[in-house]
């Protein structure tokens, strides 16, 4: 079960966005950014604090690591549990990793109460994520497939049926294809290619890795 969890797909931010909502004249502005390290996340948070220096609060959350090993959040002066935690819950619910979200609040003069704050920060974080480009990371194998020209058509058909993209094909006296295959499909694909080419195709595993699909 632990191994399956380690290989589970997760989401990443390919391009961060900005979302904004208004609640009783208070403005909530969510800025989203990819972050590969805690240093990158903290640098983005500081940049947002400088950009919105005149705002009442700059609350944030970030999730780092393939399994979300590192999470941090801050209410930045809002009542405990009403800002950073709701932002974090949005990220965890979307199973997104390696990103940071800062939600800036410009106070509109009306107190929102605990429930109102939780709702507003949640909706702002959701708006920021909706404005971002999100991609899926899958765990799989990097394979080099080498075949003669008689087998290339059959292999291309099998890869197409599984929606597996061919990267950097090389055409010499043989054809070499570079592909990334979901780990749960690797064994079946190997068998299909071997049968389709009567064992003539050679399949070499180069690495196991997470990759964007």
């Amino acid at each position: 079960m632990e191994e399956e969890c380690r290989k589970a797909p997760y989401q990443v931010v390919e391009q961060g966005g900005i979302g904004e909502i208004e609640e009783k004249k208070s403005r909530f502005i969510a800025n989203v950014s990819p972050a590969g390290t805690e240093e990158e996340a903290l640098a983005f948070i500081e940049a947002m604090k400088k950009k919105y220096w005149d705002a009442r609060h700059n609350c944030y959350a970030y999730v780092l690591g393939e399994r979300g090993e590192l999470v941090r959040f801050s209410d930045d002066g809002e009542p405990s549990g009403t800002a950073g935690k709701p932002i974090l819950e949005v990220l965890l619910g979307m199973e997104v990793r390696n990103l940071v979200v800062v939600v800036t609040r410009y106070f509109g003069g009306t107190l929102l109460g605990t429930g109102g704050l939780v709702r507003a920060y949640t909706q702002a974080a959701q708006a920021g994520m909706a404005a971002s480009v999100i991609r899926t990371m899958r765990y799989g194998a990097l394979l080099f497939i080498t075949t003669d020209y008689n087998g290339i058509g059959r292999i291309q058909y099998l890869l197409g049926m599984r929606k597996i993209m061919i990267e950097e094909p090389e055409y010499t006296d043989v054809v070499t294809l570079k592909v990334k295959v979901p780990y749960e499909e690797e064994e079946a694909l190997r068998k299909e290619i071997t049968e389709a080419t009567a064992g003539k195709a050679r399949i070499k595993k180069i690495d196991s890795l997470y990759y964007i699909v």
Side-chain angles (χ1 to χ4, degrees):
M1 181 64 71
E2 182 179 346
E3 181 70 8
E4 291 296 314
C5 181
R6 188 181 76 81
K7 296 177 180 178
Y10 64 91
Q11 310 297 315
V12 293
V13 173
E14 186 174 69
Q15 181 177 330
I18 303 175
E20 181 175 343
I21 69 162
E22 184 173 316
E23 184 72 23
K24 295 182 180 178
K25 298 185 179 179
S26 279
R27 292 174 62 206
F28 295 83
I29 307 166
N31 281 268
V32 181
S33 175
T37 65
E38 189 165 24
E39 289 74 19
E40 290 179 2
L42 294 174
F44 182 75
I45 292 166
E46 287 306 310
M48 293 301 99
K49 287 182 176 180
K50 290 179 180 178
K51 179 179 180 180
Y52 301 104
W53 59 270
D54 57 339
R56 178 72 68 91
H57 306 282
N58 285 285
C59 308
Y60 64 82
Y62 54 87
V63 182
L64 304 176
E66 292 175 353
R67 287 173 283 172
E69 296 93 336
L70 178 62
V71 299
R72 296 282 188 272
F73 60 90
S74 170
D75 295 312
D76 192 34
E78 292 281 30
S80 179
T82 63
K85 187 90 178 282
I87 298 169
L88 178 63
E89 290 298 331
V90 171
L91 309 186
L92 296 179
M94 294 180 65
E95 297 185 338
V96 65
R97 309 282 188 265
N98 295 331
L99 83 162
V100 55
V101 178
V102 179
V103 178
T104 300
R105 181 190 182 188
Y106 283 94
F107 185 57
T110 301
L111 296 175
L112 301 183
T114 300
L117 286 172
V118 170
R119 183 170 58 252
Y121 278 101
T122 297
Q123 292 176 350
Q126 290 170 338
M129 294 303 294
S132 303
V133 179
I134 309 296
R135 299 288 295 274
T136 298
M137 298 288 288
R138 294 193 70 172
Y139 189 79
L142 174 62
L143 304 178
F144 279 4
I145 304 170
T146 305
T147 181
D148 58 25
Y149 282 84
N150 292 327
I152 185 62
R154 301 181 191 124
I155 294 174
Q156 287 174 326
Y157 173 78
L158 293 172
L159 295 174
M161 290 294 290
R162 292 181 177 274
K163 296 182 171 57
I164 295 172
M165 299 293 294
I166 297 172
E167 304 174 19
E168 304 172 15
E170 293 185 6
Y171 298 90
T172 56
D173 55 327
V174 294
V175 183
T176 302
L177 307 177
K178 176 182 174 182
V179 297
K180 296 186 180 86
V181 182
Y183 83 97
E184 67 272 17
E185 297 183 32
E186 180 186 354
E187 185 176 343
L189 180 65
R190 283 177 175 272
K191 183 177 179 180
E192 290 172 359
I193 291 175
T194 298
E195 291 177 351
T197 63
K200 293 180 179 179
R202 298 197 308 273
I203 304 171
K204 182 178 180 180
K205 185 173 182 176
I206 305 301
D207 197 7
S208 295
L209 73 173
Y210 270 101
Y211 63 98
I212 292 179
V213 295

